[in-house]
């Protein structure tokens, strides 16, 4: 009986390790933040639509086809990408993961909270607001 319990415990540990390794596949450093890249029309101003489109593009690079990603993996990608986003804040349903909808909604809220001129944010202001090391509120 002791051998069976040991075998079951070993199998469970292997499965847990495989699940952990699988969840870390997201943390590949695929996010790269550059406010200039958001400015798709080159007018040095960013609209909400440009920011949301950029967030969708970043999500696709980070998630690599997955529907959600673990908070820890997202936090790592934000850090390596130079983005001042708080992964736990993005997880609005508190399930330990971030979905594309949550990520894009967070980007939109971030834009909405910023000072704007004609409903746009300058590239320089966006860089200051989103770049890591900034002390602005995440909302």
């Amino acid at each position: 009986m002791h051998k069976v319990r040991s075998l079951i415990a070993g199998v469970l540990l292997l499965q847990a390790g495989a699940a952990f390794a699988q969840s870390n596949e997201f943390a590949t450093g695929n996010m790269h933040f550059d406010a200039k890249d958001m400015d798709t029309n080159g007018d040095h101003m960013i609209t909400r639509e440009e920011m949301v489109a950029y967030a969708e593009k970043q999500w696709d690079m980070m998630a690599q086809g997955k529907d959600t990603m673990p908070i820890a993996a997202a936090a790592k990608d934000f850090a390596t990408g130079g983005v001042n986003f708080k992964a736990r804040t993005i997880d609005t349903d508190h399930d330990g993961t971030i979905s594309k909808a949550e990520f894009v909604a967070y980007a939109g809220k971030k834009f909405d909270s910023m000072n704007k001129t004609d409903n746009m944010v300058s590239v320089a202001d966006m860089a200051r607001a989103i770049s890591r090391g900034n002390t602005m509120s995440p909302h």
Side-chain angles (χ1 to χ4, degrees):
M1 186 66 170
H2 179 64
K3 284 185 179 185
V4 172
R5 285 185 186 163
S6 295
L7 179 61
I8 291 171
V11 169
L12 291 175
L13 283 171
L14 286 173
Q15 287 176 337
F20 179 75
Q22 185 176 26
S23 71
N24 280 335
E25 288 177 2
F26 292 105
T28 58
N30 288 323
M31 178 172 234
H32 165 76
F33 171 72
D34 188 340
K36 292 179 289 216
D37 290 346
M38 279 189 207
D39 179 21
T40 56
N41 66 0
D43 66 354
H44 305 288
M45 299 297 285
I46 298 168
T47 64
R48 189 178 204 281
E49 291 76 23
E50 286 174 313
M51 183 165 179
V52 166
Y54 187 82
E56 289 173 349
K57 178 180 151 188
Q58 291 302 309
W59 172 264
D60 293 342
M61 288 188 334
M62 287 188 313
Q64 299 176 349
K66 306 291 185 194
D67 293 332
T68 62
M69 60 189 310
I71 289 173
K76 184 174 180 181
D77 272 351
F78 298 156
T80 59
V83 178
N84 185 30
F85 280 5
K86 293 185 177 20
R88 289 204 185 283
T89 303
I90 297 171
D91 178 23
T92 56
D93 63 5
H94 309 291
D95 67 352
T97 66
I98 297 173
S99 68
K100 183 174 186 174
E102 287 172 317
F103 182 73
V104 172
Y106 181 83
K109 287 178 186 176
K110 188 83 161 170
F111 182 88
D112 293 344
S113 72
M114 298 175 66
N115 291 329
K116 293 174 244 357
T117 302
D118 297 326
N119 289 322
M120 295 182 283
V121 176
S122 72
V123 169
D125 286 346
M126 182 64 70
R128 281 190 293 277
I130 304 296
S131 293
R132 202 161 175 78
N134 179 351
T135 58
M136 280 186 65
S137 164
H139 298 293

